[in-house]
Amino acid sequence: MSSFLKIAIRNLLKGPSTDPYPFGETFVPKGLRGKIKYNAKACVACRMCEHVCAGGAIQIREVADKSGLEFILWHNTCAFCGLCEHYCPTKAIRLTEDYHTAHRQEDKYRYVEKGFIKYVNCARCATPMVPIAFELLNVAHDQVNEDIEKLRHLCPKCRQERALR
Amino acid sequence: MKKLLQKIAKKSPWLYRINAGSCNGCDVELATTACIPRYDIERLGCKYCGSPKHADIVLITGPLTARVKEKVLRLYDEIPDPKVTVAIGVCPISGGVFRDSYAITGPIDNFIPVDVNVPGCPPRPQAIIDGIVEAIKIWETRL
């Protein structure tokens, strides 16, 4: 009896345990897998995310005027599995802790994360190519020196020629 | 009398749950949202009801499997108008990971007029509360 009273009094003093949301702030556990954020600057268009996406939410395609690649992620079929983040070599895709996903029906097909990768021209032969992100150099090399930095601006073909010379 | 009822009804929309072939993940989150004191949905005046004839806001989970489609549509027709439909989870909205499967007939908005979408696999209880708040706003305009 006394132990029960102790618990009852402690609970009375503690106040309600109900989460105040939506009238107040709520808690977000660390590492919550929420909406995906995409950083076009770090992306190298390897299309691994498109390949591993369980829900088929990610699409990378060339835009109509062929000036670059467009990244589209439809949140309405993303399962928050995190495979894209896991396999992204440059961590251009990140899962945020944003869980606010409710929206009206008229926004259903507008509920996307978009990004645009503009082609750059090769420094030697001027063919358009996907820019090589600096993050990728850090993955491939221990130390990035000037020579490697120069290779960044060459297309795969010119890079090959440079390497064989 | 009618005016008074309309005023009262705005404050207490009753929820009804339809499982259209869900994996039970979203249903667990719905149960969490309603039944445990932590995310108490009854603060918004909502209450789960057992009969479709008492429902105001319909929460649908699951990708609308071929086997369950007719039953879901029949059940949906039993809910009196006006009603607000909320699709919970990615499955009813787009099919999610089951999209293009021979076993599902969704997305659900091909058959049922949906008003609010709450994507997630499953969505957090807080996200579901967001969706219900949105649905209550629509519900108030429909009365």
Side-chain angles (χ1 to χ4, degrees), chain A residues 7-145:
Chain A
I7 294 169
I9 290 165
R10 197 179 61 208
N11 284 355
L12 261 176
L13 294 175
K14 237 173 45 187
S17 64
T18 305
D19 194 40
Y21 197 78
F23 307 109
E25 282 299 297
T26 183
F27 67 97
V28 180
K30 211 173 167 334
L32 175 90
R33 297 203 302 260
K35 272 161 76 175
I36 282 165
K37 188 100 195 85
Y38 172 71
N39 175 13
K41 280 218 177 80
C43 181
V44 289
C46 63
R47 294 169 193 256
M48 191 44 120
C49 49
E50 196 181 13
H51 179 70
V52 297
C53 184
I58 299 174
Q59 225 182 56
I60 298 175
R61 60 176 180 214
E62 199 168 46
V63 291
D65 65 349
K66 299 201 164 153
S67 65
L69 295 169
E70 195 178 26
F71 172 95
I72 303 169
L73 181 141
W74 190 30
H75 292 299
N76 275 336
T77 180
C78 167
F80 304 147
C81 63
L83 279 178
C84 50
E85 187 195 32
H86 180 78
Y87 284 105
C88 184
T90 59
K91 298 292 166 229
I93 283 190
R94 288 254 99 127
L95 268 75
T96 62
E97 288 176 354
D98 178 13
Y99 57 85
H100 298 281
T101 49
H103 60 280
R104 299 231 177 164
Q105 172 71 5
E106 54 263 34
D107 297 325
K108 181 180 172 184
Y109 294 106
R110 271 178 255 144
Y111 203 60
V112 290
E113 170 82 13
K114 270 190 178 179
F116 181 66
I117 313 165
K118 201 173 161 35
Y119 285 148
V120 293
N121 289 335
C122 167
R124 234 180 95 213
C125 65
T127 42
M129 62 164 194
V130 177
I132 297 157
F134 192 76
E135 283 84 347
L136 189 65
L137 297 189
N138 285 330
V139 174
H141 303 279
D142 288 338
Q143 272 182 330
V144 181
N145 57 31

Side-chain angles (χ1 to χ4, degrees), chain A residues 18-23 26-27 29 32 54-56 74-80 99-105 108 111, chain B residues 37-40 43-44 90 93-94 96-97 99 109 114-117 119-121 124 126-127 129-131 133-134 138:
Chain A
T18 305
D19 194 40
Y21 197 78
F23 307 109
T26 183
F27 67 97
L32 175 90
W74 190 30
H75 292 299
N76 275 336
T77 180
C78 167
F80 304 147
Y99 57 85
H100 298 281
T101 49
H103 60 280
R104 299 231 177 164
Q105 172 71 5
K108 181 180 172 184
Y111 203 60
Chain B
R38 188 167 211 163
Y39 307 110
D40 196 7
R43 288 172 301 153
L44 303 169
V90 290
I93 303 171
S94 63
V97 292
R99 200 173 52 197
D109 58 350
V114 175
D115 299 296
V116 180
N117 292 316
C121 191
R124 264 194 109 192
Q126 281 92 336
I129 291 173
D130 273 346
V133 167
E134 201 71 32
I138 298 172

